[in-house]
Amino acid sequence: MAKVMLTIAGYSHELTCRDGEEARFERLAAILNEKAGQAAQSVGGLTEVRMLLFAGLLLADEVGNLRTAAEAAAATPPVPDVLPDPLMAQAVAALAARIETLAEGLEADAPTA
């Protein structure tokens, strides 16, 4: 097990994690440190615990907004990159009808076995 020292809002915390996860926890701590700084600026004179509570609430608010946006995006049907061209659809239908006519003519002319 690896150990990593994280500093959040000026407070150091030693954390035990799996080997190789140190950099990930340092990135996460940097995000939490940013939110703790925002909390300290918004509401001065916070204890460490209350600062981390407010930082957690700021992060939860952000996650909630992302979830709402993701749910809205999932509920919206995707728009195709290319919309069907009505003239192209008519041309394809005409070609299909012509092929069908040719196939019927070939079948009528074919000798029966």
Side-chain angles (χ1 to χ4, degrees):
M1 295 297 280
K3 291 189 184 225
V4 63
M5 183 64 69
L6 306 176
T7 302
I8 300 166
Y11 297 94
S12 295
H13 305 274
E14 185 176 59
L15 181 74
T16 302
C17 61
R18 285 184 252 166
D19 292 333
E21 288 190 337
E22 300 90 345
R24 179 172 185 262
F25 280 99
E26 288 169 349
R27 285 191 308 274
L28 295 173
I31 294 168
L32 186 55
N33 186 51
E34 178 186 340
K35 294 300 177 188
Q38 289 175 7
Q41 286 178 345
S42 298
V43 185
L46 294 174
T47 64
E48 177 186 11
V49 172
R50 290 189 60 80
M51 186 181 322
L52 291 175
L53 170 66
F54 279 101
L57 289 172
L58 289 170
L59 286 169
D61 182 50
E62 210 171 286
V63 168
N65 290 338
L66 290 171
R67 285 182 180 172
T68 300
E71 289 167 359
T76 305
V79 176
D81 291 340
V82 179
L83 296 175
D85 181 355
L87 292 175
M88 183 66 75
Q90 287 176 353
V92 170
L95 284 171
R98 178 73 177 131
I99 291 170
E100 194 67 37
T101 302
L102 289 171
E104 288 171 3
L106 288 172
E107 287 175 0
D109 291 342
T112 54

